[in-house]
Every structure is written in C-alpha cells, then in structure tokens.
Amino acid sequence: MTSIQAIRGTRDILPSEIGNWQMIESVARQILGCAAYQEIRTPIFEQTSLFERGIGEATDVVGKEMYTFNDRGDRSLTLRPEGTAGVVRSYIEHGLHAQGGVQRLWYTGAMFRYERPQAGRQRQFHQLGVELLGSSDGRADAEVIAIATQILQTIGLKDLSLHLNSIGDASDRQHYREALVAYLTPFKEQLDPDSQTRLTRNPLRILDSKDANTQAILGNAPSILEYLSPASQTRFDALLALLADLGISSTLNSRLVRGLDYYTHTVFEIQSADLGAQATVCAGGRYDGLIPQLGGPETPAIGWAMGLERLVILLQHLQASPPSSVDFYVVSRGEAAEAQALKLAQSLRQAGFKTELDLSRSAFGKQFKRADRSGATACLILGDAEAESKTVQLKWLNSGEQSAIAQADLLANPQQLRQQLTQRST
Ligand code: ATP
Ligand code: MG
C-alpha cells in the first residue's frame, strides 16, 4: 500500500526544527506585550466575500490564490489567505471600536494560498502580524515599523533593509493612476499578460510585476512620489523624520505599492538579500479605507505581517535550531523500581524540572546510552537496591560523578537543585 504524504505546498515542522519557531514566537510575544499589543485569534475560515471585499477582487490573492469551497450548507467559504481581513471583521463585529481610542492587536497562525511552491513560498504558511486601529498619527506608522524591526533584530537577523513608500491619498493615487496608464498604454503589447489585464483593472499593481521585461519598461515610468499632494508629502516627510529619530534607516522605493483603493499613505517591506526571489520577510501599510469598506465606522489603521517560514530559513542560515535540553533522564529496571521511577519523574515535572522517563525496560547499559544521547544534565538511576532502600542514584552526565540520595530528599530544596543543574549543564 502506498503511504499518504503531506499535501503539496504544506510542510511538517519537525521537532528538530521547532526550536526556531518557538523562539520567534516567544520573542514576538514578549516584545508585543511590552508595546501593549493584545493577541487576537480569529477563525481559519471565513465567508468568501470577506476576502473579496477586504483584499480586493483585482488582486492575485483573491483572483488566483484562494482556497475556496462550498460547505455542506452550500455557503462559499475560504481558508484565510491573510490575517487582516479576519481581524477587521472581528473588530467591527464585536464593536472593539466602541471601546474608544486605539486598539493594538496582534495575531499569528496558518494562512493558505494556492501558489506555486518554492523555497519560502508554500500553500499553507504562517504569518505573525499586528494591526494598530484608530490612529492616523504618523507616530502609529513609526511605532509599527519600529516594532517589526525590533522583533527581527531580537531574533538575531541582520542585513535586513526597510523599503518605504507613500502612495498618498485616494485623490493623489487617482492622478498617478492616470499618468501611469498613459505612460504604459503604448507598451501594452510588450507587458506580461497579467500586467496587460491590470492595465485596466488595477494598474498600480503592475509596479509589483516580477516580469523582467515589464520591469524594464517601468524603468522610465512616472513615480508616485511626484503625485503626492502637499499634505501627503508633509505626512511622509514627518514619518521619515520620526524613523530617523528612532535610528531606523530606510530606502525610498517609489515602486512599492498596495494597489487597492483603501490603502493610503505609508507602505513598506522589510527584505533580506539572503532569500533569493522570496526576499520579503515583512510587508505592511496603512489602510485607512478598509474598515468602512467592510461595513465599520471610518477608522484609520496600519499593520504588517511577517512570513515565518522565511524567518526560519534565515535563522537556519545562521544557526541550527536550538536543541531542547532535558534536566533529568530517569532510568530504571525491575518492577518496584519502575513504579517508583514513574512517581519520581512525575514529581520532578510538577516541580518544573524537565524530565524524561525511559520506558524501554532494556538493560541498564542501553538506557545509559539513551541518557547520554538525550542531552540531559543528570541521570537518575533506580534498580532493585534503590527500590528497596527508597533511594536513587544521581549521576551528573558531564563529570560522571554519582551519589545516592533518598528519593524523599531529591526535591527537599528545589531551588538548590535548580542551581546545581545550571552549574553542571555546560
Ligand atoms: P510575495 O510578493 O512574496 O508573494 P505578498 O505580497 O503576496 O508576498 P503579503 O500578502 O504582503 O505577501 O504577506 C506578507 C508576508 O507573508 C510576505 O512578505 C511573506 O513573507 C509572507 N508570505 C506571503 N505569501 C507566502 C507564501 N505563499 N509562503 C510563505 N510566505 C508567504
Ligand atoms: Mg504573493
């Protein structure tokens, strides 16, 4: 019988790789907590129309990449391709805006897009993102960018670059759109097929094309920055000054766009030169028009999302996933000893010591080998003699030192035991 394999574009994250994932999550959780962001968890599937309205029908994501199906009640549902739409739906549905002031939210989880799988591009992948809702202040833009930078730095990534642009307000973009279409129309036949369609549906997105020929044609295209109104320009200059003040350097990239009507002003990406074609590890922007578009009150907002697979790939270039280290490995042999070993292991766990119990019943020699391989700091040994005397042999695996101790005394002073483990674990 052929065995069943994981679906194309999905990956198992195995125990040997989980260390980096857990490290990223705990760093992010800690940093976001300090910045007073609260976690929100929304469902993995939603009504299809949420994404059609919340991401836009003219985008690749909605047009080509969604996992959409009818459920048994004939409702059209979609596995979430990104996090913002669900968070905004929840924000409106639960009246989080009515709580006044600013809401700072973050999320993490699996996202689904029907794409061609490559390194750093999967069909089920994971994002971590933030949304800051209820402020149009430039400091909100600077804050979310600073937090993204802080997370990436803290997990140990270097050589990342922040690319920044302003796409102005709806009227700036209308003028720019006309200029861009006027420039591109004579080249229409030479554009890649997607860009040809976008010329009428969503011309700003052409700037995002990965086709080399289209990119060459775009070389002389007008820049959005020439179409910013004085107010939009002032806002953008202020953001640049705030970022400089925070010590965050950025590269102006007038090609960076979010080609939808409800995106406004700030857009940014954080890229790594170390990832080949899948260079962007974090992407975000201001979406002042989205909440009304989804039926909520006028609410300015900004957010970003990071692709966790790409962060893990970068970390793997730097170091192996941190190994999990066990405090105690418990070996035992003989009926009474085995029963006592289970009890002892359980009380160690309850006291917060990471304890692995050997269940093999094999000869002591084999169990000791496994103890060594486990990376444990100490081995606890129970045989017939120890079971009889209610003692246990404590062996420090680094030095080989070994002594007997009454089982009842092992946890008499947990703090001291913890200190011993720390001293001996190097
Ligand atoms: P790309 O241009 O790489 O397709 P995108 O503009 O579609 O990216 P966003 O929707 O802005 O990506 O998502 C934010 C981040 O999520 C991306 O910068 C990337 O790190 C990650 N990401 C997006 N799609 C995938 C995917 N299919 N597999 C892995 N990570 C992804
Ligand atoms: Mg994409």
Side-chain angles (χ1 to χ4, degrees):
M1 232 198 312
T2 54
S3 57
I4 296 175
Q5 299 193 326
I7 292 167
R8 180 169 149 80
T10 70
R11 267 190 87 241
D12 299 308
I13 300 166
L14 298 173
S16 58
E17 320 167 80
I18 202 73
N20 280 329
W21 288 85
Q22 291 176 337
M23 186 272 285
I24 295 171
E25 281 160 16
S26 75
V27 164
R29 191 175 292 278
Q30 202 269 333
I31 290 174
L32 291 162
C34 281
Y37 283 67
Q38 289 182 294
E39 186 179 358
I40 182 166
R41 300 186 188 186
T42 64
I44 281 183
F45 55 1
E46 300 267 3
Q47 275 181 40
T48 301
S49 56
L50 172 67
F51 302 115
E52 288 168 347
R53 282 163 63 187
I55 304 173
E57 299 192 51
T59 58
D60 277 357
V61 171
V62 173
K64 306 193 249 185
E65 297 174 357
M66 292 208 302
Y67 277 92
T68 297
F69 58 96
N70 281 9
D71 74 0
R72 288 170 194 274
D74 221 24
R75 301 169 194 90
S76 179
L77 306 181
T78 294
L79 301 185
R80 64 182 181 196
E82 53 104 62
T84 303
V87 169
V88 168
R89 183 218 21 86
S90 175
Y91 174 85
I92 298 169
E93 185 171 335
H94 298 284
L96 299 184
H97 49 85
Q99 295 170 14
V102 160
Q103 283 281 333
R104 290 178 167 88
L105 303 172
W106 73 275
Y107 62 85
T108 187
M111 308 292 160
F112 305 85
R113 297 185 193 178
Y114 194 80
E115 299 200 71
R116 193 166 70 81
Q118 301 160 62
R121 191 176 295 286
Q122 296 176 192
R123 291 182 174 172
Q124 175 175 332
F125 62 101
H126 298 81
Q127 286 184 337
L128 184 141
V130 306
E131 316 293 352
L132 195 167
L133 304 121
S135 173
S136 60
D137 196 295
R139 287 172 301 168
D141 307 41
E143 173 177 307
V144 296
I145 292 172
I147 289 170
T149 310
Q150 187 188 353
I151 291 173
L152 295 168
Q153 271 171 3
T154 309
I155 64 177
L157 297 181
K158 297 185 186 76
D159 302 327
L160 297 174
S161 51
L162 168 66
H163 296 252
L164 197 62
N165 193 22
S166 170
I167 55 170
D169 61 19
S171 126
D172 303 342
R173 230 167 22 259
Q174 184 53 35
H175 294 135
Y176 175 62
R177 185 186 158 119
E178 284 160 20
L180 185 64
V181 171
Y183 169 81
L184 286 173
T185 303
F187 298 104
K188 179 164 182 192
E189 301 307 317
Q190 297 162 48
L191 298 174
D192 62 276
D194 275 349
S195 297
Q196 292 188 16
T197 337
R198 286 177 178 146
L199 198 52
T200 42
R201 293 189 71 194
N202 193 358
L204 260 61
R205 270 274 156 182
I206 298 176
L207 298 177
D208 225 16
S209 166
K210 288 173 177 122
D211 180 80
N213 203 36
T214 301
Q215 277 303 329
I217 294 168
L218 286 167
N220 291 319
S223 154
I224 179 98
L225 294 172
E226 296 156 16
Y227 289 81
L228 296 185
S229 67
S232 299
Q233 185 65 55
T234 305
R235 189 184 192 286
F236 191 39
D237 291 340
L239 173 60
L240 294 175
L242 290 172
L243 289 174
D245 236 19
L246 287 166
I248 297 171
S249 53
S250 58
T251 308
L252 220 55
N253 180 350
S254 63
R255 298 286 180 75
L256 201 61
V257 287
R258 298 261 149 184
L260 290 172
D261 292 346
Y262 35 82
Y263 287 109
T264 45
H265 301 293
T266 313
V267 293
F268 60 94
E269 284 189 1
I270 301 175
Q271 298 180 357
S272 160
D274 224 16
L275 277 172
Q278 274 62 250
T280 304
V281 295
C282 176
R286 180 162 277 287
Y287 52 90
D288 292 348
L290 177 60
I291 293 149
Q293 169 77 20
L294 290 175
E298 286 288 342
T299 311
I302 182 163
W304 51 250
M306 286 180 184
L308 299 187
E309 275 75 9
R310 294 183 193 180
L311 299 185
V312 169
I313 291 171
L314 287 173
L315 287 175
Q316 283 167 347
H317 293 177
L318 297 175
Q319 85 237 343
S321 198
S324 79
S325 57
V326 179
D327 295 324
F328 292 107
Y329 191 94
V330 184
V331 308
S332 58
R333 203 161 152 75
E335 208 172 314
E338 283 160 8
Q340 290 177 17
L342 173 66
K343 263 182 80 177
L344 192 63
Q346 194 53 23
S347 52
L348 284 165
R349 293 162 181 161
Q350 280 164 354
F353 295 96
K354 195 162 167 183
T355 307
E356 184 173 349
L357 177 65
D358 193 303
L359 295 171
S360 68
R361 298 207 161 143
S362 50
F364 270 125
K366 283 193 175 162
Q367 296 195 46
F368 288 144
K369 279 207 182 102
R370 273 195 291 273
D372 282 331
R373 258 180 294 159
S374 75
T377 306
C379 184
L380 292 171
I381 307 154
L382 288 102
D384 294 333
E386 286 77 22
E388 180 75 24
S389 58
K390 299 278 163 42
T391 59
V392 57
Q393 297 286 333
L394 170 62
K395 180 176 178 184
W396 299 104
L397 289 172
N398 248 352
S399 61
E401 268 172 86
Q402 184 172 327
S403 53
I405 173 170
Q407 289 173 27
D409 289 347
L410 185 62
L411 278 166
N413 189 341
Q415 263 168 323
Q416 198 187 342
L417 187 60
R418 172 57 64 204
Q419 274 168 9
Q420 284 179 296
L421 281 161
T422 314
Q423 280 162 13
R424 308 241 186 190
S425 70
T426 42

